[in-house]
Each structure stands twice: as C-alpha cells, then as structure tokens.
C-alpha cells in the first residue's frame, strides 16, 4: 500500500492530495478561475505566480486534513507534463524539494495518465483494458488503456479542444468564462434541434473517407459565429436554442466516435475525464448509446474529472507499487505523448 503526497500545477488549479493506493485521504484544490476570468482564458504568467503563492499553504492543508505526518508518506509526486511550463515548474520544484528534505522517492506524473486514474479512484474494481475519453479545456483524446502504464492514443482533436470550443462559443455569446457550465445551464431550456451544425469530420488522404475517431471543433465554432451574426442581424438571438444546438452537436459527435472506437477495439468499458465530462448532454447521450451497445460507462464525480492532485497521486501510487521512481533531474515538458509515460521512470 503506497501513500503518496501529490502536487498538480499544470494549468490553473493549484492542487495537493494525499492518496493511499486508490483511496483519497485529503484533496485540496485552489482554483484560479476568478484570477483569469477578466482575460477570458488562462494567462500563463499569472498562473505561475499564483501557484507560487498558494502551493505551501495547500501542502500544509493536505497533510493536516489527512491526519498523517511526513513519516507516513512513502513518496512525493508531481505532474511534470503536459502543461504550462512555468506552472509545472512550481509544482515540480516543490515536490523535488520535499523529496530531498524528507529523503523520500520522487515520481513525475503525466497529466493525462492522471486523468485516466480519476476513474480508478472511484471505481476500485476497474481494471484495464478500457477506453478513456478525455475532454477538457486543453485536451480531447480517446485513449486505449491497454494495461497499467500502457496506452495508445486512438483519436484526438485536430484543432480546438472540446472545452475550449465551449469557452469560445460562450465568449461570442457574451456569456463569460468558463463557458461550459453556463452553456450547459442555458441548453436545458433550449431546442437542441433548432440549428443544425457541422460535425467536424477529418478527411483521410486521397478521398478515403473520414478519420473515424478524430475530432475538429473549430468549424463548429465558426458555424456558430456565422449563425449568431445572422440571427443578430435579423434582430432575434434565441440564445438558449443556440446553446442547446451547439451542446447537442458536441455531445453527439463525442458519443458517436468514442462508442465506435470502443466497439472497433473490442472494449466493453468507456470511462470519461476532464471538465467537459460534467456536461449533462454528453452524459445523457453517452449513457444511452452505451446502454444500446451493451457497454459499461463510468463517469467519475466532478471533483475528480476537473484538474486535481488525487488523480495524480493515484497514478503515482500504481507506479510506485510497480517499483517505478523518477530521477531528481527529471524536467518539465510542455508536451509528451501518452505512449511515452514509461520514459519518466527508472
Ligand atoms: O479539466 P478542466 O477543469 O481543465 C483543463 O482544461 O485541464 O476543464 C475545464 C474545461 C473548460 O473549458 C470548461 O468550459 C469545461 O471544462 N466545462 C464544461 C462543463 N463544465 C466545465 N464543458 C461543458 N459542460 C460543462 N458542464
Ligand atoms: Zn486536465
């Protein structure tokens, strides 16, 4: 049983958690949404400074809430990739320093592997293989979880991430940031079939049809922009219908392609992660498509879908139990393929 203190600072949440294998002993998340709201998105330099200010109180609080002391901690972990380099550096420097001071092993964790582990956290019986659909503000990926530490990226977005598309559509409707929750709320009272929107298909070379699992959200966003301009010019903007039509299209596309991906790869389970996993339309569509095809689908609770350190600690615990640790000279990286996670360990 590995007890891990984990730190996550890859974007705009400063998070520290203590996890014992798949059990969360404490989980502190300090969101920077208020700080970045005025700018309509995350400002990297502000994010790093805020992480720096808040990281130490978050570490103390996580330890306090767990009721443990440093002696009870087996290893210290931090997200090392992918993410904003300045932001990642704060968490990594804190984790490495703690590892040195307390003479504990250190583990760097791939942020997307963390998101996959959110499902293990809340489904203790879950075992690979399965398909994980990761939909956040920075990522839209369908990952085949073949085994512990063994992944294959089967589909991803070619342009905007799904959450980013929600944020951009929200901005053009003057609804503020982040866009997902407010569009979701408005969509409840709108007609999802009011305005048909393009599904964003990715063409294969030489007219060989379309990529079955990849996504594109930028065309959908531009179509919403044109639609809003047209409706405004006509003097009537039925904002709930626009929100519902957009959400319906995103949810339908994500559902269709991930169900096909699971069926094509003989996988009977789909798990979901990232902030967009909170979307009520996506949850409804995916659940009913899964029921129709006899697939199991797991939605972790929202606090583990959005960025948090408990999922990072859970991934680190699994690696630590398998004898993996990272070197103290491991560096942060803005990008790294999920297939390469084992390169983080010795
Ligand atoms: O995973 P997350 O907290 O942060 C990262 O991007 O890593 O995801 C944030 C994203 C934002 O783009 C936000 O608009 C979106 O998740 N989001 C939603 C909902 N709640 C949050 N998108 C659609 N529907 C929601 N209910
Ligand atoms: Zn994330």
């Amino acid at each position: 049983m590995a007890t891990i203190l984990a730190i996550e600072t890859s974007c705009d949440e400063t998070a520290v958690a203590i996890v014992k294998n798949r059990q969360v002993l404490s989980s502190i998340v300090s969101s920077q949404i208020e700080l970045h709201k005025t700018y309509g998105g995350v400002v990297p330099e502000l994010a790093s400074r805020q992480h720096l200010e808040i990281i130490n109180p978050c570490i103390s609080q996580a330890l306090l809430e767990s009721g443990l002391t440093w002696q009870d901690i087996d290893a210290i972990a931090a997200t090392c990739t992918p993410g904003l380099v300045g932001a990642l550096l704060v968490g990594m420097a804190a984790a490495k320093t703690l590892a040195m001071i307390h003479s504990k092993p250190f583990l760097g964790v791939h942020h997307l592997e963390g998101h996959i582990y959110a499902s293990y956290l809340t489904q203790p019986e879950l075992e690979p293989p399965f398909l994980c659909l990761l939909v956040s503000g920075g990522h839209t990926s369908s990952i085949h979880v073949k085994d512990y530490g063994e992944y294959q990226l089967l589909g991803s977005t070619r342009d905007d991430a799904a959450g980013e598309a929600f944020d951009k559509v929200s901005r053009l409707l003057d609804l503020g940031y982040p866009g997902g929750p407010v569009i979701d709320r408005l969509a409840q009272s709108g007609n999802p079939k009011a305005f048909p929107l393009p599904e964003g298909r990715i063409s294969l070379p030489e007219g060989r049809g379309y990529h079955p699992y990849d996504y594109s959200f930028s065309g959908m966003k531009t179509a919403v922009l044109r639609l809003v301009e047209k409706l405004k010019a006509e003097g009537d903007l039925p904002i709930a219908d626009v929100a519902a039509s957009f959400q319906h299209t995103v949810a339908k596309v994500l559902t269709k392609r991930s169900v096909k991906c699971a069926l094509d790869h003989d996988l009977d389970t789909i798990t979901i992660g990232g902030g967009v996993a909170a979307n009520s339309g996506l949850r409804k569509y995916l659940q009913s498509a899964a029921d129709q095809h006899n697939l199991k689908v797991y939605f972790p609770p929202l606090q583990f879908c959005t960025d948090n350190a408990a999922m990072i600690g859970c991934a680190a615990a699994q690696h630590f139990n398998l004898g993996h640790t990272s070197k103290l000279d491991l560096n942060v990286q803005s990008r790294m393929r999920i297939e390469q996670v084992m390169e983080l360990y010795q």
Side-chain angles (χ1 to χ4, degrees):
M1 288 287 247
T3 304
I4 309 284
L5 182 141
I7 299 176
E8 153 64 43
T9 60
S10 66
C11 189
D12 61 343
E13 260 92 28
T14 316
V16 182
I18 297 180
V19 172
K20 196 173 198 167
N21 284 358
R22 294 184 178 187
Q23 188 194 352
V24 184
L25 303 183
S26 64
S27 177
I28 309 296
V29 180
S30 169
S31 170
Q32 300 181 3
I33 282 184
E34 285 305 316
L35 177 70
H36 301 286
K37 225 175 186 166
T38 358
Y39 306 97
V42 178
V43 184
E45 184 58 26
L46 292 181
S48 318
R49 284 167 192 262
Q50 180 70 8
H51 286 311
L52 204 53
E53 280 193 23
I54 200 94
I55 188 80
N56 282 332
C58 289
I59 293 167
S60 309
Q61 189 66 19
L63 205 56
L64 188 75
E65 288 190 15
S66 70
L68 301 184
T69 67
W70 287 110
Q71 273 157 1
D72 304 313
I73 306 293
D74 295 314
I76 318 274
T79 306
C80 59
T81 187
L84 303 170
V85 164
L88 287 166
L89 271 173
V90 177
M92 281 278 276
K96 287 180 182 178
T97 310
L98 289 170
M100 279 192 271
I101 292 173
H102 298 287
S103 304
K104 310 276 184 195
F106 160 74
L107 293 97
V109 175
H110 193 293
H111 183 74
L112 299 196
E113 188 175 36
H115 274 299
I116 293 166
Y117 269 77
S119 305
Y120 290 120
L121 265 185
T122 43
Q123 297 293 334
E125 76 289 357
L126 178 65
E127 298 288 344
F130 57 89
L131 182 78
C132 179
L133 172 66
L134 193 57
V135 271
S136 71
H139 304 278
T140 304
S141 315
S142 294
I143 300 166
H144 182 175
V145 180
K146 296 184 163 181
D147 202 346
Y148 294 107
E150 200 187 327
Y151 306 102
Q152 188 184 0
L153 182 67
L154 295 176
S156 60
T157 180
R158 299 294 181 98
D159 38 61
D160 295 344
E164 196 180 355
F166 272 95
D167 295 336
K168 287 181 175 170
V169 164
S170 172
R171 199 178 313 154
L172 66 91
L173 291 171
D174 288 326
L175 297 172
Y177 172 85
V182 51
I183 291 186
D184 199 353
R185 209 163 43 244
L186 270 173
Q188 314 290 330
S189 56
N191 172 8
K193 305 263 171 72
F195 305 107
L197 294 166
E199 294 190 6
R201 291 192 289 185
I202 302 292
S203 298
L204 289 169
E206 295 143 21
R208 283 188 285 117
Y210 297 101
H211 193 291
Y213 321 127
D214 273 357
Y215 302 97
S216 164
F217 294 104
S218 76
M220 215 184 284
K221 173 201 67 193
T222 307
V224 175
L225 174 68
R226 300 275 171 270
L227 175 68
V228 169
E229 283 170 352
K230 178 174 156 278
L231 293 169
K232 272 186 179 165
E234 289 167 6
D236 175 34
L237 179 60
I239 202 159
D241 287 347
V242 175
S245 301
F246 171 70
Q247 176 163 304
H248 164 80
T249 313
V250 175
K252 190 173 65 178
V253 165
L254 287 170
T255 297
K256 244 173 37 183
R257 289 182 207 164
S258 41
V259 165
K260 174 162 176 51
C261 190
L263 294 173
D264 288 353
H265 292 81
D266 276 335
L267 299 168
D268 67 358
T269 303
I270 300 177
T271 71
I272 188 158
V276 184
N279 188 263
S280 59
L282 176 60
R283 286 183 172 237
K284 205 169 69 196
Y285 277 57
L286 194 52
Q287 186 65 63
S288 84
D291 291 345
Q292 215 178 320
H293 294 279
N294 248 331
L295 297 168
K296 288 187 282 274
V297 57
Y298 293 128
F299 298 95
L302 193 56
Q303 79 261 32
F304 298 129
C305 283
T306 53
D307 285 354
N308 66 89
M311 65 186 195
I312 303 298
C314 190
Q318 179 72 38
H319 281 293
F320 188 71
N321 285 332
L322 293 170
H324 307 156
T325 57
S326 302
K327 290 188 180 159
L328 275 175
D329 63 1
L330 179 73
N331 220 334
V332 301
Q333 276 176 258
S334 62
R335 289 160 168 265
M336 185 195 223
R337 289 170 58 77
I338 184 77
E339 286 90 346
Q340 291 171 284
V341 283
M342 288 311 297
E343 292 175 16
L344 302 175
Y345 307 106
Q346 51 183 0

